[in-house]
């Protein structure tokens, strides 16, 4: 399993400044086949500055969820650190 890219990422407007909500499409390589699934994720910053990322898959995936969620969190954290999120 490999996360190829996150595309069509859009930000939902919220009134809570420390909580950012996004939705988009994850392009993954599962069992050597490219698969696109819709995702929604939240980046929440606690008072100490630590960021917590939660990911929800909107479509059903024929793959164990724990490694998939972990890989998505890692990719989202990289994009956030690079400033590539809207």
């Amino acid at each position: 399993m490999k996360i190829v890219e996150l595309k069509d990422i859009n930000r939902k407007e919220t009134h809570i400044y420390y909580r950012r909500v996004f939705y988009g499409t994850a392009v993954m390589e599962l069992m050597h086949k490219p698969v696109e699934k819709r995702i929604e994720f939240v980046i929440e910053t606690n008072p100490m500055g630590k960021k917590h990322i939660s990911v929800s898959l909107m479509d059903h995936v024929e793959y164990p969820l724990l490694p998939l969620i972990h890989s998505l969190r890692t990719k989202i954290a990289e994009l956030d650190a690079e400033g590539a999120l809207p």
Side-chain angles (χ1 to χ4, degrees):
M1 188 273 307
K2 177 180 155 186
I3 305 297
V4 178
E5 70 173 320
L6 297 178
K7 65 179 189 176
D8 302 330
I9 298 173
N10 293 306
R11 185 174 177 176
K12 288 186 182 179
E13 290 300 320
T14 61
H15 299 291
I16 304 172
Y17 70 92
Y18 58 87
R19 191 169 194 265
R20 298 181 291 154
V21 181
F22 301 90
Y23 60 95
T25 304
V27 180
M28 304 167 272
E29 189 176 295
L30 301 176
M31 294 178 272
H32 304 292
K33 294 186 300 186
V35 178
E36 290 188 11
K37 298 294 180 180
R38 294 177 300 135
I39 63 168
E40 182 174 283
F41 58 95
V42 178
I43 301 174
E44 189 167 339
T45 306
N46 70 12
M48 300 300 285
K50 183 170 170 62
K51 294 183 180 181
H52 175 73
I53 300 170
S54 58
V55 179
S56 299
L57 291 162
M58 309 312 276
D59 298 328
H60 180 71
V61 178
E62 294 290 330
Y63 195 81
L65 286 180
L66 287 178
L68 183 60
I69 296 293
H70 178 71
S71 296
L72 284 169
R73 281 184 183 155
T74 303
K75 182 70 170 179
I76 291 166
E78 289 173 3
L79 289 174
D80 188 41
E82 294 170 0
L85 295 175

